[in-house]
Each structure stands twice: as structure tokens, then as C-alpha cells.
């Protein structure tokens, strides 16, 4: 019996890649596309690449009706804006569905932190307490049987996977970490805006957002604090790249002591990710192009000697796959205790 | 005394390139930016590349006040949407300004044709009759002293310059002409729209518009009919290129007879454009990249023998310069009897 | 038992997409990568995206040893330059392998035509006579059990699929066809050259090659002559697009008579491709982005009335998939009488 | 009398932008293009955009003949590879020419440092001692009348202009500076190479070079040590962007003390660059697109509080203009005591 999957909010980019991933998945079946639009679109009109790919009765979006969804599906992926996600999750859970939320609503465990980052109170504190943070390489054991999974942000995925092995083995200092990151434009969503016009982004490169105040910073700090067993301080600066997809994080840390060697660093990653099918350690700095359309996170670490020695880590993912929809499917596989890589290689 | 120039509608892409062109022009001065926005922007906030470039008293846009404009300027460039242009042109003309209109409002000489193409009646038929079509290479003599210039469309510029020498010398048949053209995304304007999102256009290529019914088709036919001295029929199919700027028209015609030679074709262009500083004849098909940021139109012609012989002409321009703002400045130079190339080389 | 597949010449772009396609294929196994380089590369050093994807014993390329290949594989894909392909095909066939040749060597059935197009005589006329032209939508019945398949060129695939239904039903004239086509840069191959430098192609667009004399023109004419049952004359003009992958052919034809209607055209395509899983008929002109990474050919047809009526057909494929490696796998499926779509949806 | 200018090595990208800059310059004349190629090219064949732009007698390159150059020119721009530059500079200087060297040969004042970075000894130590480092915003007073100017590297220009005001005012610590920089592909030169193929760079992003060991790092350290009056340590990590032109440096520093305020930072830049026509201070992080085709360096500074406070500086230039050819012309203007901005606005 395949896992029957519904998607709420299928008309954004994460929706598209969820659809494509589920269509390819040998053990899952896409059964319901739920849209909050007044005029319910045929998904192949929204995404012409899907023409003829989605069974006709599924392709026409239906309303967000939790009971109807629960009759058709075992799991609901929320590809909704934040705030909308937590308005639907409780009823979907009550209807008996597993929920994998790709929004930010269940990522930060502290409601106060959520309110500070997103500007409004958390409205589902009860389920927030039970949500599992779905970064399998760090928290795989929490996933089997989980009812509600908070799928991590794209930058937090690239960053936490890059830094965790160093912090958990105390090879670097937990303060003063700098994460210089760059993302393709799919990361900015699909809603038109002046700065997302082709002519504004093409041949362009810049930092964006409130420098030092991006919403993904507390999420990264939260994950790393768990890994490190103590608070971690960092500065996160995102940039926008004139490409469709991909995140590269270039991360600067201070070695914990003068005794740390390049071999210590390499061994930390090999050890940490020994059994992780989606982590690839590279000798040379990775390129976002080489992880495109894959669920891989490519990592490279370098110890740079000098008066102020540094550890530099490079981390590349496809922001739409390992940074969103691929990781959501990886989480689904683990929740339903299927092969972790099913549909993803 | 420099020519004092005002721009109405400076916040679109043609506005930007007019501003940059006028700032560089040794014999012109930018004196007035007139916007119909409720909140009048500083142009350097709209276009960060202009920071520090425009004198502060000009940089802050002012309302569209024809009298104030007439006190400050000798010429008004209309970089407005069609229909808006013809609502302002009469009063600007009455106030004593020369007007160079970059919209479509004064390009088609027949009001009925205008109504068919643009879906509403022409509202300034009186001035329409006196407007000069500002394609200097074909109609240079009309420009000195002209009061109202209709600046040609981008596709019509590339197309008419490519075809005129062949039709005026009867080297090709006036029927069955095919214009396969492609434009960079600036040609679609600056207003955000779903299909202009970076992710939709990047790595993309397609035809667009009503195939065979694009508004530029009657404009091209009108110009070529004048040149040919008889009606001309053609099919125009535009495509959208994932680049900022540039138009390439690849044009297919039938030789008028089996006697036409490649030398006849070359001689026609050499002769037609002997004294035209912005036409470059090339041995090889031109590349839009090689005319970028210039007012050149690069042309290449080839006779292809075979059972159905063809003449193929390639025409490349920068759609924002020779296809809009550069040609507008070329027209200004000619209207005010300055050096045609001033500010443009 | 999976089909065991070898690739000769895996270090070009068609090699890459063959490898990726075979790794995903549920009924095939990649067993041998054969390179003619002196220093045999690990394919994951050539293509960093393949790191960890190809079994280690296969990833290291081996010499082109026909007997060793025949022991390891049932089918050999030739992703070699033309001329090299026909030097290996005979020995591979003699060793008992099926051969699917992605080069041009077995596409033109007339040796004289080959010599004219490629500048040297054909060196394997014997096998040329038996080669099957692997365009399944037109010649599917020839494929089951075929020993040697000539995989069509990318432009000929997009063009022939677009035109065949019209010619086979005599809806258009067989003369004076114009194919205006544009390809992404993967179509130019992977060997560095000045004109393939990023800076030369980025923000660029132009026609290339000998206008009217491209090597793909006789291949298209040959296929269409079979379909039409009489000689066909056409003009093919290729352009280079600043994108990685995709071909768009915009094709201009003359209706056979004034009686042809838009419905006749639509019905011709519906009828011709009723059972073809990789043809998609579209209401609007297709975009190369919407077929990227797929084996689809998206088609749209329009009758344009006027003094010189025209039929315009738009055809979009991924030049690396339906235009090369995907079609090669489709051919493998048919040769070995597997499901035609296996590994391709 | 205009300054007569020769270019040695005009067929690279810096050569192209020197030619275009000199053609636009009201007080300079391009008189000689000197190439070391065996077959001397017409520059318009190398760069089709120059067709008709360069006077015919100059467009055809001539041999590198110092005496002939000295008869035709007052100043020689060396757009040659490093090592070649220092083989020609002495004879050009002896022939009486001013020399502005765009290579790396005269940038590092210590011959030993040069040998370490470039792998071979310096071969013109005599002139090295007299060379002026042509970064006008920091060393303007050295330029009038200078015989030999070392034009700074692109990354060092963007980096030193960003950091100097902070170090000279002791607002940041001189150690542990991190420069995360990204450049367009013109920065990699025009010689074809596998990694510069369009398909490899398009939709791509990665760090490159020996991390922490790039040749530009000692050049940046040298300049900043002069400014700071003491040694400076930093880590420089370059990335390659899929765009033609532009450098963005994102720089992380530690405030010198807890007393430093955002206003102190702003005041430092305002004060340092009060009279510099090519420095623009921005409220928001700059975009490389907004300095394209200009000689501007756009800067933005931010104090980020927190457990480990940081100063972040963003610096954007056009790597071909302020990072190479524009700055070379700015230096020419200063050497010949012309208006600093001549030909550059």
C-alpha cells in the first residue's frame, strides 16, 4: 500500500517540487491538491511542465477540507505561508493525518522566539510542543511515527549540517560564527514583486534582509545549541544569487585550540555522517550546480592557519530539494518507516 | 545653450535609459522628471544605479504640470504607457514644447488601425496627423524642426531597417515576409507580473503574444508600405529571451526573381545606409551582445539558393537604446539640428 | 535480468545524461564506462555531481575494449564524436552487442550525403544499410530487436516531430518550409572554445553556422521525405541561446490549400500522436523550460490567415534528453521490448 | 593636446574596456594597439562590438615595438599577463613613456612576496622600487607625474576601499578580518578553459582557488598595513558568480571596543571619502548590478551588536572598470593632472 499524500498550497515552488518528488516516488501516491484560492486551478495551468503528469482527478485543486483530505490521504504536506500552516495543522492532526509542515510555524520551539521573529503570537502552542524538527541527519530517531514534523528552513539545513560535527566534538568555539550564505531566487517565493523581476535579479548579486536579523538565524542557533549542549552565537548574512536554485553557505569559525588539525576536522565529518546517504564530503569546495535536483548536502572543510586561524566550511544544497521538498519526502519516508532514500536518488 | 529636456514617466526602463543618455549628452541638460505617482519618488531610490548622478533638484520627481515643464524644458520625452501619452501631448505642444513620444500613441497614422491594435479610439487625431515617425535612417528629412515625434517601437526599428533596402529596390517580394524576432525582458516593461518573475524567465525561451497579431505588426507593415510604395504583407512572431536587453530579428523573404545575387543584396544595404552612422553591415550574423549599450543596428544579409530560394536578413539592436531611448535622443538631435550622433557614441 | 549497458565516450554532456538516465532506470544497469583518453578518469572527477552515484568499479573509466565490453554489457551507447563512432560500431556489433549511436554516423542513409555533410567518406557502409533511425514516434516498428540504432540529432527530433503530421496528411506544401531554431549551449558540446566561454554566451543571442548549410538540414529533409513520400525542401537556421538546455523550433509552412482549418491541424496532431507518451499538444506556444529534464516534445500549431496564410508550429524539447540521451534510452527500451517509458517519467 | 595612449595586450577583457574607455574620453586619444600574437588581429574581429569604432589605422594591431609606441603615445597601458608586463615596462619607461600596468607585476613592493605569490623571481626590481600603487582614494598624492603606476587588483580595490576608513581610525581590530568576496566571470580572463565553459558557470556558484592562499591576499594586506600603520591579518575567500561583471565583497571585522557606534562608522566613511567622486555610501547593501559599467565603488557599513559584535562592510565595484580599466584611466587622468573624472562619468 503506497503512502497517500496530500499537498496544501501546491501552487508555490515548494509545491511544485513536492508534486514532482511524489510522482517519482515508488512507495507514495499523490491523492489531493488543496488550494485556498477562490478559483481552484488545474495544477498543469499553474505549472505547464506538469501537463499530462498528474492524474486528471488530482490535477484540479480542491478546497482545503480537512475531512476530505483525511479520507484521501495518510499525510498532509503544508506548503503554505507561515501562519496559514498553524491554522490548518491542528484540524488535520485531529482528523488523523500525519502533517509535514514546510512553513516556519513549528520550527522554533519557544513561542516567544517565534513571536519575535514573525511578528505575531504563535497560535498552536499545544502542537508546537510535540513537533519534531525534521533534520534527519541530526535527529533521525525522533522521526519514526511522528505526528507533526517541522521541515527545516533551507539556510538552517545547509548551515546546521555544516557546523554540527564541529560543535558536537568541541573542535570550534561556539561564539563568533559567521555564516555567509547565498541562495537562488526560488528561495524568495513565487509571488511577483519588483525586486524579483527578471531584469532586477539577472546579472545581479547583493546581500538582503535585515543584516544580522534574518528569521533563519534563531532557527540555526536553536539547532546548534542542542548539538553543542550550550548556547551558540552566530551572525548570518544572506545574499541573493541570479540562479534558480541552490544555496551555498560559506562558514567561518575559530578552532577551539591550536591543537586542532585538518585531519581532526575531516574525521569529525566522516564520523558524524558515516551512515547518512545524503551527505557527501568533498575535497574541494562544492558548487551549487552539482547538487541541483538532488537531496544531497555537499560539504568541504578547511583549516586555515595564520595569526588568527580559522575553520572554513562550505555547504551546498538545492534549496528546493534538501532545503525544502526533498527533505520533506525524506521525513515522510522516516515517519512511515520506509527506506530513507526512496524516491530521492 | 544646451537643449533642456524633461522626461514624463521616468520610472520605467525607457525612463532610466533616457536619463543616462541625457546625463552623458554634451549638448543637453536634464531639467525635469515628471511622474504621475501619488508619492513622488527620488529617482535614485527607484534606480539605485543613479545615486549621485542626477542633480538633487532634478532627482526628486515633480508632478506632471505642463506649464512648469514648459518653463524648464525645450523638449519633453514621453516615457508613459500608451493612452497616457496622448492625454499629455496636446497640452505640452500647446505650451510650446517639442514632444518626443516613446509610447505607441502617434506611430500608426490611421486612427482606425490604432483602435484595432490598442482597443480604444485615438484621442488626439489632430496632432496625429502632424506627427513625424522618428526612424531617421528612413525619414531623416522630416525631423528638423518637427514638433511631435513618434519614436518607433523596438521590433519595428529592427525589422524596418532590415527590410527597407530590399523592398525599396524591389529585390524581394512584398508578400509572405516572415519576421522571427526575440527580445530581452526589458522589452516587457518594469511592472511585476507572474511571467516576469526571475525564475519564470531564467533558462527559458518561448514565443509569446497572439501569434500573428502582435501590435507591432501593423506598425512594421505601415513603414514598409511607404518604402515599397505598395502594400506589404508579413507575419511577425516575437519570442522572449532570458537576457536583459537586445532584439534579434531573423527575417525570411523571397527574392523578387532568380536573377538576384548576393552582391545585389550587399550593394543595396551599402547604398541605402552609406551615410548612416548607426548602421553597421556585418559579414556574419550579428549578436545582440555586440550592440548592447549602443545605438547601432547591426545587419547581415544572405541569399540562400535552393528549390525555394530565400533572402535571410539578421538585424540586432539594443531594444532599450536604438529600440527606444537612444533613438529618441537621436531624434532630439535631429529635431534641434545638432550633430546626429551627439551623446550616442 | 536488467539490461546491462555500456557507454563509450562518457565524458561529454550526452555521456552525463546517459549515466544519470541509466542510474534511474529500473530495468537497466550501467556496467562499463569506456573512454579513449590516455589517462582514464574517474567519472565523478569529470562530473562532480556524480560523486557517490556510480558504483566504484564502474566509475573508473576503462579502455575501449570491445570484447571486455561485450562480456559486461548487452548494449553499447556511443557518445563519441562522429567518425569515431563508426570506427567502433562494427567491432561492437561483431562482438554481439546492440549499438545505439548518438553520433551522426548512421543517421544519413546515403553515403554520398554523409560525405558532403561531414567532409569525409563513410567508413562503414555495410552497417549503415541496416541501421534503424531511432525516432520512435515515426518509426517505432523498426526498433524491436534492432542491432544498430542511429539516434537522431536534437534539431531533427524537434523539427521532424513538429512537421511530420502535417506532411503525412498533405496539409502543408512540401516546399519552402522555414525552420527557425534555437538551442541551449550544451548542444555545442563540452570541449572549451573561445565562443563557448561564459562571458561570450551569457546575455548573448545570435544565429550561427553556415546559414542554410547546417549538417542537420539533410537529416531533417531525409526524414520528412519518407513521411511525405516525396522530396521536401526546407531552410534551417539555428541560433544559440544563453541557457544550458533546450531547443525551440519555430516552423513556418504554407497550407496546402485555402480549405485547411485550425481544426484540421489540431486533429492531425491528435491523430498522429494518439499513443505517444512523450508528445504533449499544447494550446499555447511551449517553453523550453517546461520540458527541461524530461523526454517530452511539446507541440503547438497555429493557422495564421492573411494574404499569405501560414501554418506556424512550435516544438520544444530538452536537447540533452529527447534530443539525445533520453531518446537513446527510449530506443533501448523498444529494442529490448521493455516498457517504452521505463526510466523516463 | 589630448593624451595619446597605447595599449599592450588589447585582446583580453581589460583591453576591451580600456579601448572603450579611451574612445569615450574627451581628453585622450587611442593611437596604438600592440599585440604579441604572431598574426596581428584587427581588434574589431576580436571584439565584434568595436566594428567601426576604432579608427582603421589603429584597429589593426601592431607588434610590441617600444620605440614605435613611444613615437605614437604618451602613455602605455599594459594589459598583459603578469611576468610579460615587467619584461616590457623597463624599455617603455626608457623610451620615455608613462606606464600604467594592469598586471600584478608592480603591485607588491617586496620582491620576496612577489616570488612567493607568483612562483618566479621579480625581474625588474629597480623600477619596482619607484612604482606608485594606483589606488587614488588612498594614495592620490603619489600620482601626479608618476612614471610607473601599478594598477591595483580588482579584489584588493573593493576590499581596501571598504576597510581603510575603519583601520585608519582604529575603529576595528587589525586581526581576524574575513573577506568573503564574489566576482563575475570576466575576472577569470578570456582564455578558454573547461571551467569557464558557459555550461559550467551558468546556474553555478562556488568558492575557488586555494582557500586562504589567493594571490590577492598579500596585496590587500600590504595596502591595509600602510593604512593601519601596523601589520594586518585577514582571510580572503573568493567565489565565482554566474554573471559577466561585478565584485561584491562582504567583510566581517571586530569593533575595536564596545564603545564603537554605528554613527562612528558612518562618520568614518563620510570623512574618509568626502572628496572622492567615485565612492558612494549607501544606506542599504549595494548590488553589483548598480555599479556595472561605472567607476563607482558602492559601500555600506553596519554594526551588528550581540555577544560577539561585528562590523559588516559591503563593497561593490565593476571588476572591469573600478577593478581594472576604469581605475587605470582614473590613474592616467591624475598622472597627467587632468580632471580625475574625465571620461569616467
Amino acid at each position: 500500500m503506497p503512502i497517500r499524500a496530500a499537498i496544501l498550497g501546491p501552487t508555490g515552488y515548494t509545491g511544485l517540487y513536492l508534486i514532482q518528488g511524489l510522482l517519482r516516488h515508488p512507495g507514495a501516491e499523490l491523492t489531493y491538491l488543496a488550494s485556498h484560492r477562490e478559483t481552484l486551478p488545474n495544477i498543469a495551468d499553474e505549472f505547464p511542465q506538469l501537463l499530462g503528469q498528474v492524474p486528471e482527478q488530482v490535477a484540479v485543486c480542491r478546497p482545503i477540507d480537512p475531512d476530505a483530505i483525511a479520507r484521501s490521504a495518510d499525510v498532509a504536506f503544508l506548503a503554505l505561508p507561515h501562519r496559514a500552516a498553524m491554522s490548518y495543522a491542528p484540524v488535520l492532526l485531529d482528523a488523523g493525518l500525519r502533517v509535514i509542515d514546510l512553513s516556519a510555524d513549528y520550527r522554533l520551539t519557544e513561542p516567544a522566539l517565534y513571536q519575535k521573529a514573525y511578528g505575531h503570537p504563535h497560535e498552536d502552542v499545544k502542537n508546537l510542543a510535540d513537533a519534531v524538527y525534521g533534520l534527519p541527519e541530526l535527529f533521525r530517531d525522533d522521526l519514526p511515527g511522528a505526528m507533526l514534523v517541522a521541515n527545516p528552513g533551507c539556510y538552517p539545513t545547509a548551515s546546521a549540517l555544516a557546523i554540527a560535527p564541529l560543535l558536537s566534538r568541541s573542535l570550534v568555539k561556539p561564539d563568533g560564527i559567521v555564516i555567509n550564505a547565498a541562495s537562488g531566487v526560488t528561495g524568495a517565493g513565487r509571488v511577483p514583486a519588483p525586486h524579483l523581476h527578471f531584469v532586477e535579479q539577472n546579472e545581479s548579486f547583493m546581500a538582503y534582509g535585515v543584516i544580522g536579523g534574518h528569521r533563519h538565524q534563531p532557527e540555526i542557533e536553536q539547532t546548534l545549541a542542542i548539538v553543542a549542549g550550550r548556547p551558540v552565537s552566530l551572525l548570518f548574512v544572506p545574499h541573493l544569487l541570479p540562479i534558480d536554485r541552490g544555496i551555498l553557505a560559506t562558514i567561518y569559525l575559530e578552532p577551539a585550540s591550536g591543537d586542532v588539525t585538518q585531519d581532526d576536522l575531516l574525521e569529525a565529518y566522516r564520523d558524524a555522517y558515516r551512515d547518512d546517504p545524503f551527505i557527501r564530503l568533498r575535497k574541494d569546495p562544492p558548487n551549487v550546480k552539482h547538487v541541483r535536483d538532488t537531496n544531497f548536502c555537499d560539504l568541504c572543510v578547511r583549516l586555515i592557519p595564520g595569526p588568527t586561524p580559522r575553520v572554513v566550511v562550505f555547504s551546498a544544497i538545492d534549496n528546493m530539494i534538501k532545503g525544502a521538498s526533498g527533505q520533506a519526502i525524506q521525513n515522510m519516508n522516516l515517519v512511515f518507516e520506509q527506506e530513507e532514500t526512496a524516491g530521492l536518488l
Side-chain angles (χ1 to χ4, degrees), chain A:
Chain A
M1 281 286 291
I3 307 168
R4 297 169 307 150
I7 300 172
L8 283 74
T11 57
Y13 290 127
T14 54
L16 171 62
Y17 295 108
L18 275 172
I19 292 169
Q20 292 188 329
L22 290 167
L23 289 174
R24 255 196 315 264
H25 195 293
E29 187 186 359
L30 179 65
T31 57
Y32 200 111
L33 298 178
S35 170
H36 50 48
R37 295 208 190 157
E38 282 200 33
T39 307
L40 293 164
N42 184 312
I43 199 67
D45 293 329
E46 281 295 310
F47 294 116
Q49 53 269 66
L50 294 177
L51 179 65
Q53 299 281 78
V54 183
E56 202 50 40
Q57 74 281 13
V58 178
V60 180
C61 292
R62 284 172 277 180
I64 304 189
D65 172 342
D67 289 330
I69 296 169
R71 282 193 298 274
S72 301
D74 305 306
V75 60
F77 291 93
L78 308 189
L80 297 162
H82 62 85
R83 198 158 194 184
M86 67 184 163
S87 77
Y88 288 112
V91 282
L92 294 164
L93 289 166
D94 286 349
L97 285 150
R98 312 284 167 140
V99 173
I100 297 175
D101 176 23
L102 286 83
S103 89
D105 279 350
Y106 296 94
R107 291 175 188 161
L108 295 173
T109 54
E110 290 296 323
L113 213 53
Y114 179 89
Q115 178 158 4
K116 193 175 162 207
Y118 292 91
H120 51 85
H122 202 284
E123 293 157 12
D124 184 25
V125 176
K126 179 175 150 291
N127 286 307
L128 178 60
D130 296 328
V132 168
Y133 188 73
L135 191 52
E137 287 76 10
L138 301 184
F139 309 110
R140 186 175 285 108
D141 293 349
D142 299 344
L143 285 158
M147 294 306 301
L148 172 57
V149 177
N151 210 57
C154 49
Y155 286 122
T157 296
S159 302
L161 293 175
I163 301 171
L166 300 175
L167 280 177
S168 65
R169 283 156 186 78
S170 301
L171 291 166
V172 294
K173 297 183 184 163
D175 300 309
I177 299 168
V178 169
I179 302 174
N180 190 296
S183 172
V185 183
T186 47
R190 199 173 173 230
V191 177
H195 74 289
L196 300 179
H197 191 293
F198 177 84
V199 176
E200 301 302 311
Q201 285 306 322
N202 185 42
E203 296 290 292
S204 151
F205 188 58
M206 56 167 180
Y208 70 94
V210 183
I211 306 305
H214 191 282
R215 290 162 169 180
H216 279 175
Q217 184 164 321
E219 184 184 341
I220 304 170
E221 289 171 337
Q222 170 182 285
T223 302
L224 294 180
I226 296 170
V227 168
R230 44 160 296 179
V232 166
S233 84
L234 57 85
L235 172 58
F236 168 69
V237 178
H239 299 69
L240 204 48
L241 280 169
I243 65 175
D244 279 0
R245 291 156 64 183
I247 280 181
L248 184 72
T250 302
I251 303 169
Y252 302 89
L253 312 104
E254 289 182 58
S257 78
D259 298 334
V260 172
T261 66
Q262 174 73 16
D263 280 347
D264 294 338
L265 302 177
L266 289 175
E267 184 52 29
Y269 287 87
R270 280 198 208 103
D271 181 50
Y273 296 128
R274 197 173 301 281
D275 300 318
D276 286 293
F278 295 117
I279 304 287
R280 298 194 295 193
L281 306 180
R282 290 198 170 273
K283 273 183 247 161
D284 294 310
N287 187 329
V288 293
K289 188 158 192 169
H290 298 147
V291 293
R292 184 174 167 144
D293 269 317
T294 80
N295 201 49
F296 290 115
C297 176
D298 280 9
L299 297 170
C300 172
V301 64
R302 288 285 168 81
L303 180 66
I304 313 294
T308 315
R310 298 278 182 187
V311 175
V312 185
V313 192
F314 303 93
S315 176
I317 62 169
D318 184 324
N319 60 309
M320 284 289 120
I321 309 296
K322 184 60 177 169
S325 304
Q327 185 146 272
I329 290 173
Q330 185 183 0
N331 281 321
M332 178 190 78
N333 290 341
L334 290 165
V335 165
F336 289 88
E337 303 184 46
Q338 289 215 353
E339 183 71 34
E340 182 170 352
T341 58
L344 292 169
L345 284 182

